[in-house]
Amino acid sequence: MSIPTGLPRRLEEELAALNESQLVAAIHPGSVVVQAGPGSGKTRTLVAKAAYTLESLIPPRRGLAAITYTRHAAQEIVHRLDVLEVDGGARIAAGTLHGWCLQRILRPFGPLVGMVPPGIGHVIDDKSVEWVVLLQQCLDEATPGSLARFEKTEICRIRRRMAAGITEDDRDPLVRAALKMEQRMRDRSLYDFDLMISEAFALLRRNPRITQLLASQFPMLIVDEYQDLGPVLHQIVLHLREQGGLEVAAFGDPDQAIMGFAGADPEFLIELASRRDFLNVSLNINYRCGSAIIAASQAAINGSRAYHANPLRTDPGVVELVSVSGAIGEHAEMTVMKIDELVANDVEEHRIAVLYPGKGALLDELITALDDSIYEYVHENDQRLPGGEFVEFIRQCAARAIAGPQPVGTPDITRTSVVPTIRQLASTYRVLHEGLGQSSPLRRPAVRLVAAALHTVRTDAALAPWISQLNAVLGLDNLASRSPLKRDRHAVESLLDIAAGNRLCVGDIAGALRVGKITLTTYHAAKGREWDFVILPGLIDGVMPRRRWNDLTREWVPVPAGDFEQLRRAFYVGLTRARQAVILVEGDHWLSSRGLSNRYGVSPFAQMVRSQLRRSS
């Protein structure tokens, strides 16, 4: 397939560097589904698609929308477009689904039809006390005795299915609680992320003219991680495609669908791929993993896929299975021993990741073992800090301040590090303004302002005065006070209080600064990322995959089949994060909170890999 001429030089060079499947996906003028396996260059292809669309397929006064799973992913798209010499500017609306619904549907079009969009402080999230209290009140009325912390996941799943038009039985007390929850929020002019999305979809369905206006503004919609974005997003895409005539580019991988507990389903992506008005493209070359790791990962999902290693790669990679005889504590000790071996062989710590399935005894033991070791590490789920995009921006600034004015080190280090450049931070700063409907500084003034706010500091510099200095230049507290999200309004003040109360240093929040540090994170949070060496401890039946306690039979029973498949795919994601080697630590028992031994054997996922290794030996 030939590459069109007249494009910016760097974009032309980028298209020339793509393989045939990537190029087809990037320059196809109609709707396309891109099924992209691990390490297949999905983000590169997506950005090339966005760049080519902006340059060649849509008029200068129109743009494209890009919906991503995280804000970081959206910022990465904008940054890479800049590298390709494609200035999207106001022509590209990149953000999360709820952010896109708020900024591009509810705010501009809601007032036109008498609907009041979320105002300052009107958005609550499911981690806030107010949201949990409201849900508990609804549960108390609909099904007394139910607790919000146990039912919140099912309530969210029900709400998303109803928003997508899927009928739920209103005789079910949890369905009644979900309906009460939504009505109470409307009565109080409150929104959460799910309600923002469902109200945006309802607005589109009730008002065909709004659908047409949106389609006129953004004739192309690109969706990343389609398999994890849920039923409402799928219905919005179908609506915009069928009623608005938008072209859609959906990127994802059914084998990496790990958000089923939230209502996501890989069948949504498969449905799009089967439609006649979509071109189905598969990216089958895994540029990240060697053939041995690819074979092990396919054994883990109990199937054969067309993925194969980069033909230019000569080594197959390493899959190492390590058995321990003790309980969870020995898994953590073995993890540190394997890190010792890697570091003794000149592997830098930032090239190593340790993945765990979730909170529990395994995480506690890993933290204890790493704290007792000689190694620095980044635990990404730091519960001391408030959440939200303002705190995340401050954390990114902290990493940049410690790293100095230039990007960190060599190309190999920057590939592992996610420390943003001054220019990227300026872009995020502008996005914070735009997300609040505020006029943002132009690109160059924003770069100068952020550069002026950041001075190189030591890791052990006191955090509170540093935040105060950053805030004085950038006015973050004033900006945050205008946010529709309640958690953001006092985010800077809360972070200052935590910093002073805990005597935190700048280095304590600079989670993005990974050079010289091991990464400790979950399977879910590892998605879309890569390290040279990945260690997966706790491969015990009952830990990964987990088991549930049955009060009637007085035993730990396997999770339902659907949950088991979710965990299998999470394990697949973990395996395929490794470029050079994956180390699996397996065992046959674990201890309950009362110290009782539970022996259900080695994790079935590890057994699948072991069987594959025997066949290939």
Side-chain angles (χ1 to χ4, degrees):
M1 179 175 287
S2 60
I3 299 172
T5 58
L7 300 171
R9 177 181 58 84
R10 289 190 180 178
L11 173 56
E12 203 168 288
E13 292 172 350
E14 179 69 0
L15 292 175
L18 300 179
N19 65 41
E20 183 177 356
S21 296
Q22 291 172 323
L23 182 59
V24 168
I27 69 176
H28 178 64
S31 292
V32 60
V33 167
V34 183
Q35 298 194 57
S40 61
K42 181 199 67 175
T43 302
R44 185 179 191 180
T45 308
L46 186 154
V47 172
K49 176 72 174 176
Y52 180 75
T53 298
L54 288 168
E55 288 292 328
S56 299
L57 298 181
I58 55 179
R61 294 184 179 275
R62 304 175 79 185
L64 68 83
I67 294 176
T68 61
Y69 192 70
T70 65
R71 286 187 65 257
H72 177 75
Q75 292 168 7
E76 180 69 10
I77 292 172
V78 175
H79 172 64
R80 291 198 188 194
L81 286 173
D82 193 35
V83 171
L84 294 178
E85 301 177 345
V86 176
D87 184 6
R91 296 180 65 207
I92 181 165
T96 60
L97 177 57
H98 66 265
W100 188 74
C101 287
L102 175 63
Q103 301 300 331
R104 304 298 172 176
I105 300 176
L106 294 177
R107 277 185 170 168
F109 299 118
L112 300 180
V113 294
M115 175 183 167
V116 180
I120 294 175
H122 286 184
V123 179
I124 57 178
D125 62 36
D126 61 4
K127 296 180 178 61
S128 69
V129 173
E130 187 171 6
W131 190 95
V132 174
V133 168
L134 187 59
L135 175 58
Q136 188 62 59
Q137 292 172 351
C138 297
L139 287 169
D140 289 343
E141 295 175 15
T143 172
S146 297
L147 296 178
R149 68 176 183 271
F150 296 136
E151 304 294 353
K152 62 182 291 186
T153 298
E154 181 62 14
I155 291 291
C156 289
R157 188 193 66 81
I158 290 170
R159 291 177 58 203
R160 289 166 188 173
R161 286 172 56 84
M162 291 192 298
I166 301 171
T167 303
E168 295 281 350
D169 185 356
D170 58 10
R171 293 172 297 180
D172 183 334
L174 289 182
V175 173
R176 294 200 300 271
L179 291 168
K180 287 177 179 289
M181 179 78 172
E182 297 218 335
Q183 189 57 52
R184 296 282 170 81
M185 281 193 286
R186 291 189 182 96
D187 291 344
R188 302 180 188 187
S189 298
L190 294 175
Y191 287 78
D192 63 3
F193 294 153
D194 283 331
L195 190 59
M196 274 196 288
I197 296 168
S198 63
E199 291 290 86
F201 182 35
L203 194 64
L204 292 176
R205 286 187 298 178
R206 290 194 302 262
N207 302 275
R209 180 60 177 156
I210 292 178
T211 297
Q212 295 300 323
L213 289 170
L214 190 64
S216 177
Q217 185 180 9
F218 301 110
M220 169 65 79
L221 172 65
I222 295 177
V223 185
D224 191 17
E225 303 291 0
Y226 197 98
Q227 76 285 345
D228 279 334
L229 284 170
V232 189
L233 177 276
H234 183 57
Q235 292 302 317
I236 289 174
V237 167
L238 293 179
H239 177 85
L240 292 174
R241 173 74 189 131
E242 295 167 359
Q243 305 301 320
L246 270 78
E247 301 294 352
V248 176
F251 288 73
D253 179 9
D255 287 327
Q256 296 186 70
I258 57 177
M259 301 300 293
F261 61 88
D265 191 329
E267 291 300 319
F268 298 143
L269 181 64
I270 294 170
E271 178 188 334
L272 281 190
S274 67
R275 288 175 55 122
R276 287 187 171 186
D277 54 341
F278 278 75
L279 175 69
N280 185 25
V281 178
S282 294
L283 306 184
N284 294 328
I285 300 177
N286 187 328
Y287 292 97
R288 177 190 303 144
C289 308
S291 57
I293 298 174
I294 293 172
S297 69
Q298 294 197 19
I301 55 172
N302 199 26
S304 179
R305 304 293 187 268
Y307 308 138
H308 55 89
N310 181 358
L312 300 179
R313 178 168 178 168
T314 56
D315 71 287
V318 174
V319 178
E320 181 181 358
L321 269 164
V322 183
S323 297
V324 297
S325 58
I328 292 296
E330 192 169 327
H331 285 248
E333 293 171 7
M334 179 58 70
T335 297
V336 173
M337 289 176 61
K338 286 298 173 181
I339 294 171
D340 288 338
E341 292 178 12
L342 292 171
V343 173
N345 283 281
D346 297 324
V347 174
E348 297 129 321
E349 287 92 334
H350 58 263
R351 296 167 60 195
I352 305 169
V354 179
L355 308 185
Y356 62 93
K359 294 179 181 177
L362 176 60
L363 174 60
D364 295 340
E365 293 288 354
L366 287 170
I367 288 175
T368 298
L370 287 168
D371 283 344
D372 291 342
S373 74
I374 62 172
Y375 304 110
E376 290 189 73
Y377 67 98
V378 176
H379 180 214
E380 296 184 332
N381 191 24
D382 191 336
Q383 299 294 328
R384 294 173 302 177
L385 307 180
E389 55 190 7
F390 283 90
V391 171
E392 180 58 29
F393 176 70
I394 293 172
R395 296 188 72 182
Q396 292 175 342
C397 287
R400 181 76 272 152
I402 291 173
Q406 299 301 321
V408 177
T410 66
D412 179 62
I413 292 178
T414 54
R415 183 177 62 175
T416 303
S417 171
V418 292
V419 179
T421 64
I422 294 289
R423 191 169 187 172
Q424 287 173 300
L425 288 171
S427 176
T428 303
Y429 183 60
R430 296 178 69 220
V431 168
L432 288 175
H433 282 80
E434 292 163 2
L436 300 177
Q438 306 291 317
S439 59
S440 63
L442 297 175
R443 178 183 295 173
R444 288 185 179 178
V447 169
R448 295 192 194 103
L449 193 62
V450 172
L454 292 180
H455 301 281
T456 303
V457 298
R458 290 168 51 97
T459 300
D460 59 0
L463 178 59
W466 179 84
I467 293 176
S468 297
Q469 293 170 8
L470 185 75
N471 183 44
V473 178
L474 299 181
L476 295 176
D477 56 350
N478 182 54
L479 193 60
S481 69
R482 304 173 188 176
S483 172
L485 273 70
K486 281 199 172 185
R487 73 178 183 194
D488 284 346
R489 295 193 64 202
H490 304 290
V492 179
E493 179 184 341
S494 297
L495 186 56
L496 274 168
D497 289 344
I498 292 169
N502 292 275
R503 298 183 179 180
L504 298 182
C505 300
V506 178
D508 291 326
I509 70 164
L513 190 67
R514 303 181 190 280
V515 176
K517 298 179 182 178
I518 294 156
T519 299
L520 176 65
T521 194
T522 63
Y523 288 80
H524 283 72
K527 191 164 177 290
R529 300 160 67 183
E530 58 184 32
W531 294 267
D532 285 334
F533 301 88
V534 173
I535 305 175
L536 306 179
L539 296 179
I540 310 168
D541 189 344
V543 177
M544 182 63 179
R546 66 180 182 273
R547 284 176 173 254
R548 301 187 308 175
W549 178 254
N550 186 309
D551 284 327
L552 295 177
T553 62
R554 307 300 295 172
E555 64 179 344
W556 294 93
V557 298
V559 294
D563 292 346
F564 181 85
E565 290 304 315
Q566 288 286 313
L567 294 168
R568 185 207 296 270
R569 289 195 286 262
F571 179 68
Y572 172 76
V573 166
L575 272 178
T576 54
R577 300 310 93 195
R579 283 191 291 257
Q580 293 188 27
V582 59
I583 301 170
L584 311 177
V585 185
E586 63 178 19
D588 65 1
H589 73 284
W590 48 280
L591 302 180
S592 69
S593 58
R594 296 181 180 180
L596 300 176
S597 179
N598 297 283
R599 293 186 177 272
Y600 295 99
V602 172
S603 165
F605 305 146
Q607 292 180 41
M608 293 170 188
V609 174
R610 184 175 292 281
S611 296
Q612 190 279 328
L613 292 177
R614 286 171 180 160
R615 289 193 300 268
S616 60
S617 61

